């Protein structure tokens, strides 16, 4: 039976409504295998760690059902190949299975993946491992061995593993005082993998719990904190997380800024060249966001160092999209960070972590008007950071960014080709080809990515 034009339009309208308005924004964010596995490790009885039942069976079931055919858990690149993040995510998943004596074949397949691919994945980042990896991966190796897993790394790989362990010791030693002062990311946000020498005591854990019962909004760290303390606020946080996201795996951070997720979706649709088909939906998102920024304009932003990356990512997306759609938005909504010497210094010292955020700040300044000196300063600052990152990435075959060719190319093109000189259809194609970089913001062990199936619906 043929559908009438009105019927087709009604179906299209329903699909748009379901995509952008009526569904949970969290459904657009890919789950974290690493964090889901940590929740799967929590015993049903916190007073009996040797309990034979997991508290969050739904997380254990997710781990059992979400192993790739290649044997790993975690993020893959645009071509389906495992990333560095897959190593700790796979170890965490195997440990969870081992703890509850389930999924023996899954666990063996996961260990086989690690033995077969660790050398390749580690060699691609030799001498330049991301900070999070240098902390998390050694901790997961120690926990795996404590659990009784035989990792059996090749002998010639042991030197490289020793280098990673040594790098962790340097980070832990140098950051002890900084973490106490609130530097990001705090060592306690890695509680689940800290060696006993550095792990916080119960009093320190309680002191650092957020009002929602979490430890730095990290599901994995909070799961560890609950297992260590049995704290009821931690349990309430974990139960709320499971109620919200449990069936689909938990995100790397919770709660997440839902406005940021929606802004990211609007940006994604525009970068893909699909905006003309979602005009009303994008406008509704921007109207809601604009109301938020209008309310905030009368007061100064008070942002902790720990949340700078997330806030800047949101502000840069909001500023560019709102201006592109004709809204009157002040440069101060984006440039606030320039007035805080501590934040500026923090960004300069952590250029790798802030590179994707600075790329968005730089893009936002494309739409500045003549005489907006704050935006000129923001453009100059973000460009300086990006140039240093690009220079670092092209300087060594072993550099962490050399292997991330899509992101490297994206930064180089952004710096070399003026926005007004670009052709939209070529920009859309490039964005599709570089879709492994289409992320929201950097998390503890990965990027928070969109579910491509949701975008492609």
């Amino acid at each position: 039976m043929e559908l009438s034009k009105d019927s087709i339009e009604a179906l299209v309208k329903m699909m748009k409504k379901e995509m952008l308005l009526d569904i949970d924004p969290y459904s657009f964010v890919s789950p974290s295998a690493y964090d889901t596995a940590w929740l799967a490790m929590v015993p049903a009885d916190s007073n009996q760690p040797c309990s034979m039942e997991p508290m969050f069976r739904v997380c254990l079931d997710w781990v059992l059902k979400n192993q790739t055919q290649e044997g790993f858990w975690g993020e893959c690149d645009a071509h389906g190949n495992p990333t560095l993040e897959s190593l700790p995510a796979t170890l965490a998943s195997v440990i969870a299975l081992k703890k509850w004596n389930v999924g023996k074949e899954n666990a063996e397949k996961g260990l086989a993946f690690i033995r077969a691919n660790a050398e390749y994945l580690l060699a691609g980042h030799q001498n330049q491992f991301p900070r999070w990896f240098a902390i998390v991966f050694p901790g997961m190796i120690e926990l795996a061995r404590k659990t009784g897993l035989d990792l059996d790394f090749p002998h010639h790989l042991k030197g490289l593993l020793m280098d990673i362990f040594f790098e962790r010791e340097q980070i832990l030693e140098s950051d002890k005082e900084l973490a106490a002062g609130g530097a990001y990311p705090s060592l306690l946000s890695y509680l689940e993998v800290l060696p006993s020498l550095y792990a916080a005591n119960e009093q320190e854990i309680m002191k650092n719990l957020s009002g929602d019962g979490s430890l730095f909004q990290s599901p994995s760290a909070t799961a560890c904190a609950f297992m260590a303390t049995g704290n009821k606020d931690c349990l309430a946080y974990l139960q709320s997380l499971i109620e919200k996201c449990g069936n689909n795996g938990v995100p790397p951070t919770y709660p997440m800024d839902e406005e940021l997720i929606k802004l990211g979706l609007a940006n994604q649709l525009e970068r893909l060249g699909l905006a003309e088909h979602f005009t009303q939906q994008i406008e509704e998102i921007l109207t809601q966001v604009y109301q938020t920024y209008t309310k905030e304009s009368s007061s100064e932003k008070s942002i902790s160092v720990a949340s700078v990356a997330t806030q800047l990512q949101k502000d840069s997306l909001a500023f560019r999209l709102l201006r592109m759609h004709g809204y009157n938005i002040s440069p101060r909504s984006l440039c606030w960070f320039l007035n805080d010497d501590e934040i500026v210094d923090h960004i300069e010292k952590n250029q790798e972590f802030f590179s994707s955020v600075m790329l968005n700040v730089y893009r936002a300044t494309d739409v500045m008007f003549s005489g907006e000196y704050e935006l000129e300063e923001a453009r100059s600052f973000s460009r300086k950071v990006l140039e240093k990152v690009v220079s670092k990435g092209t300087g060594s075959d072993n550099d962490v960014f050399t292997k991330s060719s899509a992101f490297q190319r994206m930064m180089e093109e952004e710096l070399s080709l003026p926005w007004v000189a670009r052709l939209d259809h070529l920009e859309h194609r490039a964005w599709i080809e570089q879709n492994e970089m289409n992320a929201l913001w950097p998390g503890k062990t990965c990027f928070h990515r969109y579910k491509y199936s949701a975008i492609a619906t």
Side-chain angles (χ1 to χ4, degrees):
M1 183 180 71
E2 292 186 5
L3 294 174
S4 66
K5 181 180 179 181
D6 289 342
S7 297
I8 293 174
E9 289 179 350
L11 287 172
V12 171
K13 183 176 181 180
M14 181 180 67
M15 289 173 63
K16 291 179 178 179
K17 185 178 181 181
E18 289 177 351
M19 282 183 64
L20 293 176
L21 294 177
D22 287 350
I23 68 172
D24 184 356
Y26 282 85
S27 64
F28 285 102
V29 179
S30 292
S32 164
Y34 175 82
D35 290 88
T36 305
W38 267 101
L39 264 72
M41 297 180 205
V42 178
D45 188 343
S46 61
N47 296 319
Q48 296 182 9
C50 295
S51 168
M52 296 304 292
E53 290 292 331
M55 177 173 288
F56 305 117
R57 179 76 199 195
V58 65
C59 291
L60 185 61
D61 291 340
W62 186 95
V63 170
L64 285 166
K65 295 175 182 177
N66 285 273
Q67 185 178 26
T68 66
Q69 290 185 347
E70 294 80 5
F72 69 90
W73 284 266
E75 294 288 351
C76 57
D77 63 19
H79 307 291
N81 299 317
T83 63
L84 195 64
E85 187 267 342
S86 66
L87 290 176
T90 299
L91 276 178
S93 299
V94 171
I95 291 168
L97 298 178
K98 172 72 173 178
K99 180 170 185 176
W100 306 116
N101 196 28
V102 296
K104 184 177 180 180
E105 291 184 3
N106 301 74
E108 290 177 350
K109 192 174 181 180
L111 290 175
F113 166 82
I114 292 173
R115 296 186 190 110
N117 294 275
E119 181 177 3
Y120 167 75
L121 292 170
L122 294 175
H125 298 267
Q126 190 172 3
N127 300 325
Q128 193 63 51
F129 291 100
R131 171 194 170 94
W132 66 263
F133 185 82
I135 298 174
V136 171
F137 189 54
M140 296 311 300
I141 290 177
E142 291 172 339
L143 182 58
R145 289 171 174 165
K146 185 178 179 180
T147 309
L149 292 170
D150 181 13
L151 299 180
D152 193 24
F153 289 110
H155 181 75
H156 61 272
L157 192 59
K158 293 182 179 179
L160 182 55
L161 291 174
M162 289 179 63
D163 290 341
I164 301 174
F165 273 80
F166 178 71
E167 186 175 341
R168 179 184 67 165
E169 291 304 311
Q170 289 183 311
I171 292 173
L172 296 179
E173 284 291 345
S174 63
D175 279 14
K176 255 189 170 182
E177 294 182 4
L178 292 175
Y184 182 84
S186 166
L187 287 178
L188 273 183
S189 66
Y190 296 96
L191 177 66
E192 75 277 7
V193 290
L194 290 182
S196 57
L197 181 63
Y198 298 89
N201 56 37
E202 182 173 346
Q203 183 178 0
E204 190 173 354
I205 292 173
M206 294 301 101
K207 183 178 67 176
N208 284 277
L209 287 183
S210 302
D212 58 12
S214 74
L215 200 59
F216 300 98
Q217 284 72 52
S218 168
S220 54
T222 307
C224 182
F226 172 67
M227 286 188 281
T229 67
N231 181 265
K232 293 182 179 180
D233 291 334
C234 291
L235 176 59
Y237 168 86
L238 296 174
Q239 290 173 331
S240 172
L241 171 59
I242 292 298
E243 183 178 350
K244 184 80 171 178
C245 313
N247 290 329
N248 299 313
V250 304
T253 301
Y254 179 83
M256 298 170 71
D257 189 324
E258 295 189 11
E259 280 194 353
L260 173 54
I261 298 174
K262 291 181 178 180
L263 278 169
L265 288 171
N267 179 65
Q268 185 83 329
L269 291 168
E270 295 210 344
R271 298 300 296 268
L272 291 170
L274 300 174
E276 62 182 285
H277 303 292
F278 295 89
T279 303
Q280 180 182 347
Q281 289 72 28
I282 292 174
E283 195 62 34
E284 288 173 350
I285 289 174
L286 295 182
T287 298
Q288 176 186 343
V289 171
Y290 183 67
Q291 291 174 351
T292 300
Y293 277 80
T294 301
K295 292 177 182 178
E296 291 178 348
S297 62
S298 59
S299 60
E300 292 292 327
K301 286 183 181 288
S302 178
I303 307 298
S304 67
V305 175
S307 60
V308 169
T310 301
Q311 189 64 48
L312 268 179
Q313 191 82 340
K314 179 179 179 179
D315 291 343
S316 57
L317 282 175
F319 184 83
R320 182 182 177 94
L321 287 169
L322 289 171
R323 278 219 166 169
M324 290 289 288
H325 285 259
Y327 288 86
N328 180 20
I329 183 166
S330 168
R332 292 183 182 179
S333 65
L334 172 64
C335 302
W336 53 268
F337 70 98
L338 295 171
N339 299 320
D340 190 316
D341 293 338
E342 182 184 4
I343 290 176
V344 169
D345 181 64
H346 181 60
I347 294 173
E348 289 177 334
K349 289 180 178 179
N350 297 274
Q351 295 168 1
E352 174 190 332
F353 180 80
F354 281 94
S355 56
S356 63
V357 177
M358 288 294 102
L359 184 60
N360 275 287
V361 171
Y362 187 76
R363 283 173 174 159
T365 61
D366 285 336
V367 290
M368 67 178 170
F369 300 125
S370 177
E372 291 185 321
Y373 301 113
E374 286 178 303
L375 286 173
E376 291 178 4
E377 186 179 354
R379 186 173 183 84
S380 176
F381 177 81
S382 58
R383 184 180 181 91
K384 180 178 67 173
V385 171
L386 292 173
E387 286 175 341
K388 288 182 179 179
V389 173
V390 168
S391 175
K392 181 181 179 182
T394 57
S396 169
D397 290 339
N398 292 325
D399 191 274
V400 66
F401 287 110
T402 303
K403 299 300 180 180
S404 183
S405 58
F407 188 49
Q408 180 79 19
R409 186 167 62 253
M410 189 183 294
M411 290 188 292
E412 291 172 349
E413 291 176 355
E414 198 71 36
L415 294 173
S416 62
L417 186 62
W419 172 57
V420 294
R422 300 173 193 169
L423 299 176
D424 285 345
H425 67 285
L426 294 180
E427 288 287 287
H428 298 154
R429 182 185 179 96
W431 188 251
I432 293 170
E433 291 175 347
Q434 297 167 353
N435 62 18
E436 69 265 33
M437 295 310 303
N438 297 344
L440 287 173
W441 66 88
K444 185 163 75 175
T445 61
C446 62
F447 284 92
H448 301 342
R449 290 186 173 86
Y450 302 107
K451 291 181 180 177
Y452 297 125
S453 58
I455 296 296
T457 299

